[in-house]
Amino acid sequence: MRRGTGLPIGSLSQIGTIRLGKRTEKRSPKIKEFVPLTDLQDLVFAAWDPIPDDAYGAARKAGVLDTPHLEPIADFLKGIKPLPAAFDQNYVKRLHGTNVKKGKTKRDLAEQLRQDIRDFKKRSGADRLVMIWAASTEVFLTAGPAHQTLEAFERAMEQNDPAIAPSMLYAYAALMENVPFANGAPNLTVDVPALQHLAEERKLPIGGKDFKTGQTMMKTVLAPAFKARMLGLAGWYSTNILGNRDGEVLDDPESFKTKEESKLGVLEYISSRTSIPSCTATCSTRCGSTTIRPAATTRKVGQHRHLRMARLSDADQGRFPVP
């Protein structure tokens, strides 16, 4: 969904509630009572993945959740078998997919995705659908001529233009089938005029730029506090402990750059060069290569990243060493 609803969600002691009016009015109904949310048992799921494992096998290999958490829902997860994916290794260099679609052009692949959406809706009996990109971080891309209009975008698909990444095919397919689309990775994906205009024309919500549920979320919490106190930043050290295949994917410098730009962008935006010059911080990388190492178990990998906020002169940087 688009961000910035302005609705105050309940505090930690009131998770799942929403505040109406002033705090003194003590009106905090549960969100499920305030808006018509679908019951959990009425949700159905489908997925595409270049790796053929069902959801249970994928979760076991990822190692993010332990056995006691997976076994109670094992049968449910085993029932989610991925459809062949619109996958291109040029955009995720470290993965080798075998469960993939074939087509002469990217337009062909997008049309196959659209057919998958129609088939699933008919097969499942779902009233409405939502698509969430929860796949790997693609190589870094910037918006160009192919992304400016729907006509240019579709022409680029037909010409197999490298500017059209797989995630964009999914976004295009979703919107063409009147399905809202959310991006859970820092890829360019739906941040292009062609797809934004398509969403506006069809009155479909789009949004997202990485899930930001871990250390990036902490940046967005802490950085405004530093800014509010007029505290300049000399450095920022970030550590990710990554499950799934994230560590393997981000070991590729091109995919890592996409992630890095997203995380640095958070700090640059919050630092707000124009509004508070004295707290200006321009971001650069120091020790910028990605280091992948085994974490607590062999099923997870850790990624260490060192980001430096170069507000101070080179001479002064030595007085404020970054960890």
Side-chain angles (χ1 to χ4, degrees):
M1 292 185 178
R2 293 190 184 278
R3 297 173 180 171
T5 59
L7 296 175
I9 302 301
S11 65
L12 287 177
S13 61
Q14 296 176 306
I15 290 178
T17 66
I18 188 168
R19 193 187 80 233
L20 304 178
K22 300 178 180 179
R23 288 186 177 87
T24 53
E25 296 177 14
K26 297 182 179 180
R27 291 192 297 151
S28 299
K30 292 182 178 179
I31 295 174
K32 67 179 182 180
E33 297 169 353
F34 184 69
V35 293
L37 297 180
T38 300
D39 290 332
L40 186 61
Q41 61 266 27
D42 292 331
L43 296 178
V44 289
F45 298 87
W48 295 270
D49 201 298
I51 310 300
D53 300 339
D54 61 40
Y56 177 77
R60 292 278 296 181
K61 289 181 180 178
V64 175
L65 297 176
D66 294 327
T67 299
H69 301 125
L70 290 174
E71 290 308 315
I73 56 172
D75 290 340
F76 173 76
L77 293 176
K78 289 176 182 178
I80 303 176
K81 297 178 173 61
L83 298 165
F87 175 75
D88 187 334
Q89 194 175 6
N90 289 313
Y91 298 87
V92 189
K93 303 286 180 64
R94 296 290 194 256
L95 293 188
H96 303 276
T98 57
N99 188 41
V100 300
K101 296 184 181 301
K102 296 185 183 300
K104 291 183 178 180
T105 69
K106 295 183 179 184
R107 182 69 179 267
D108 292 339
L109 297 177
E111 294 302 325
Q112 290 179 47
L113 293 174
R114 293 183 63 184
Q115 187 63 52
D116 287 344
I117 293 171
R118 293 191 291 267
D119 291 344
F120 170 70
K121 187 173 184 180
K122 181 178 181 180
R123 182 173 65 252
S124 66
D127 294 324
R128 56 194 177 95
L129 307 178
V130 175
M131 186 186 295
I132 300 175
W133 175 270
S136 300
T137 300
E138 295 172 331
V139 298
F140 182 71
L141 293 176
T142 57
H147 306 125
Q148 300 309 306
T149 67
L150 184 60
E151 292 76 13
F153 188 92
E154 290 177 335
R155 185 166 57 252
M157 286 194 295
E158 292 165 359
Q159 296 173 350
N160 288 329
D161 192 322
I164 307 299
S167 62
M168 296 177 186
L169 302 181
Y170 285 91
Y172 170 83
L175 296 176
M176 291 298 289
E177 294 300 319
N178 296 311
V179 175
F181 181 88
N183 177 24
N187 312 325
L188 184 63
T189 311
V190 80
D191 296 339
V192 296
L195 296 180
Q196 291 174 347
H197 293 159
L198 178 60
E200 290 173 1
E201 290 174 0
R202 292 177 174 249
K203 302 186 185 308
L204 294 169
I206 57 173
K209 192 69 172 178
D210 207 347
F211 285 124
K212 292 184 173 66
T213 55
Q215 58 110 335
T216 310
M217 185 185 75
M218 294 306 299
K219 285 187 177 74
T220 61
V221 171
L222 295 173
F226 297 149
K227 177 183 175 182
R229 298 299 184 270
M230 300 291 286
L231 297 175
L233 294 173
W236 199 296
Y237 181 80
S238 303
T239 301
N240 275 358
I241 304 300
L242 302 170
N244 301 309
R245 294 180 174 88
D246 282 352
E248 184 178 0
V249 169
L250 293 175
D251 192 30
D252 173 55
E254 293 183 80
S255 289
F256 175 70
K257 181 173 176 57
T258 302
K259 194 80 168 178
E260 180 183 60
E261 290 289 330
S262 172
K263 294 181 181 298
L264 290 173
V266 169
L267 295 178
E268 286 191 317
Y269 173 77
I270 294 173
S271 298
S272 188
R273 173 192 300 271
T274 55
S275 62
I276 308 180
S278 62
C279 284
T280 291
T282 57
C283 299
S284 62
T285 57
R286 182 185 179 199
C287 307
S289 59
T290 309
T291 301
I292 304 297
R293 64 168 179 77
T297 72
T298 57
R299 295 174 297 171
K300 298 180 182 178
V301 293
Q303 175 211 0
H304 286 256
R305 178 162 53 262
H306 196 158
L307 306 181
R308 192 173 197 189
M309 304 291 289
R311 185 179 71 88
L312 304 177
S313 67
D314 291 341
D316 287 337
Q317 291 282 7
R319 296 168 49 210
F320 301 94
V322 183

